Every structure is written in C-alpha cells, then in structure tokens.
Amino acid sequence: MRVLVACEFSGIVRRAFAARGHDAWSCDLLPAEDRSNKHIRGDARDLLNDGWDLLIVAHPPCTRLCNSGVRWLSKPPAGRTRAEMWAELDEGAALFSAFWNAPVERVAVENPVMHRHAKERIANYAPPAQSVQPWQYGHGESKRTCLWLKNLPLLRPTDIVAGREARVHRMPPGPDRWRERSRFFPGIAAAMAGQWGEHAMQEAAA
C-alpha cells in the first residue's frame, strides 16, 4: 500500500508503516530528521494526485485553527496585527481543506479541537470522528488529539497505561518547543500502521 505522511519531518509515522511492509513516504517543508530517502521536502499539496492509497496528515500547522489560540484573533500578541492573525487562519484552513478533500481513498487528519471560525472556512467540514490520548497507546501522557477520518475505522486503544502528565503542554518556552509539540507519539503511529494498514489490505483483497 502506498502511504503519504504529510507534515512530518520526524519519520515516526512513516517508519511505523514501513515496518509493516508498506511503501510509506513522508513530506514536509523541513528535511527529515532521520535523513531518509523516503522523505520529500516540499509542499505535500503538490503530491496529492500521485496515486496514494492512504493519506495521513500527522501534524498540520494548527496555531490559528485550534480552540486554545482563538483569543489571538481578537487580541493579537505583541508586534502582530489582527489582519495578520486572520490571514494565517485563512491559510491554515485552506491547508486543512486541501488535505481533507484530497483525491485519496482513505484520509486521516490529526489536529487539536477547532474553533468555529476555522470550521466555517474548511470546505466540506465534518466533525472529527474521534479523539485519542497518548496514554491509550503506551505513553503516560495527556494530550488530546482529534482525528478526522475518511473511509477508515476508529483507532482502537492498544496499551492503556497509568500516568496523565501533560508534558508537552507544560514544556517551558524555548527554540525547540514547537518541534517537540509537533512530534508524533510512536505508540499511536504503530496503532495506525497496524489497524489502518490491515483495514486497507483487507479491502484491497475483497
């Protein structure tokens, strides 16, 4: 199965699918951390018509879409304007729309909870199919993540563990904070590769 993991530079989701024998590629504006030759540096929207069986958008830019940052639309941070905030919202919504409406049979888009202004700007918007937590997949952390799914089953928990630490949320400011916030949890990636990969293979064999 051909899998495109968009907005990923860590390779975590790509490697999870590759470990199960899939032809998995990642794409991001940044180079791959693992220097893999299965990574394409560029805009993933340019690849959406290349015949993928599954598109996973691991962590699209969500600063202006997520509910936690809606306050900046009315009261921008120092040095920024309202016009800039709303323009970034439009850009983020357009990116999400491109992925959600991609010409790919199976699509999964990961994003935090959205505010109403974002929902209004996304073409063919639909509510997320589910939300997952790292502690359901072997990581003792709390970070609610919503999944928008097209032609994919809900992701089942694989390893519920103790611990509800909001490590990423409590991370102090610093130059690498954004990188750690966007890093995918390997346990969730493994569940995606196992469950969604098997689902797609079964459909193909039917």
Side-chain angles (χ1 to χ4, degrees):
M1 183 174 65
R2 298 191 72 228
V3 181
L4 174 62
V5 185
C7 303
E8 178 183 67
F9 58 85
S10 68
I12 291 172
V13 180
R14 167 176 39 81
R15 290 194 298 271
F17 276 88
R20 289 182 171 269
H22 300 293
D23 181 18
W25 294 76
S26 57
C27 180
D28 197 85
L29 297 177
L30 296 173
E33 283 187 337
D34 59 1
R35 300 183 180 181
S36 172
N37 61 1
K38 303 285 281 189
H39 178 80
I40 301 168
R41 189 174 183 182
D43 191 329
R45 287 173 289 189
D46 296 335
L47 308 175
L48 297 180
N49 291 291
D50 291 353
W52 305 100
D53 299 302
L54 171 61
L55 167 66
I56 296 178
V57 187
H59 193 82
C62 61
T63 305
R64 301 294 163 240
L65 304 181
C66 61
N67 201 42
S68 60
V70 68
R71 66 187 185 279
W72 301 122
L73 295 176
S74 57
K75 189 177 180 180
R80 305 297 304 276
T81 67
R82 287 189 64 191
E84 289 173 335
M85 297 296 100
W86 285 88
E88 289 179 5
L89 168 60
D90 288 336
E91 291 171 5
L95 181 65
F96 191 100
S97 294
F99 291 138
W100 181 235
N101 295 281
V104 180
E105 179 70 18
R106 304 166 191 86
V107 177
V109 186
E110 177 268 351
N111 216 76
V113 178
M114 290 188 192
H115 54 71
R116 65 180 180 87
H117 303 295
K119 297 174 184 178
E120 292 169 353
R121 286 164 169 74
I122 293 172
N124 299 313
Y125 177 82
Q130 70 177 130
S131 63
V132 298
Q133 289 279 2
W135 51 261
Q136 296 174 306
Y137 301 89
H139 304 278
E141 299 184 32
S142 175
K143 184 187 178 187
R144 183 188 177 194
T145 296
C146 295
L147 296 175
W148 281 258
L149 305 177
K150 181 176 77 172
N151 296 327
L152 287 170
L154 298 181
L155 201 63
R156 301 186 306 274
T158 56
D159 183 15
I160 296 177
V161 298
R164 301 292 185 270
E165 178 190 5
R167 178 186 63 85
V168 175
H169 179 72
R170 295 173 181 170
M171 191 176 295
D176 294 325
R177 188 173 190 267
W178 67 271
R179 185 182 294 270
E180 292 306 313
R181 285 181 63 86
S182 66
R183 194 175 300 281
F184 217 81
F185 289 92
I188 301 179
M192 290 176 169
Q195 297 175 36
W196 293 344
E198 181 181 355
H199 172 78
M201 296 298 288
Q202 289 176 346
E203 282 193 336

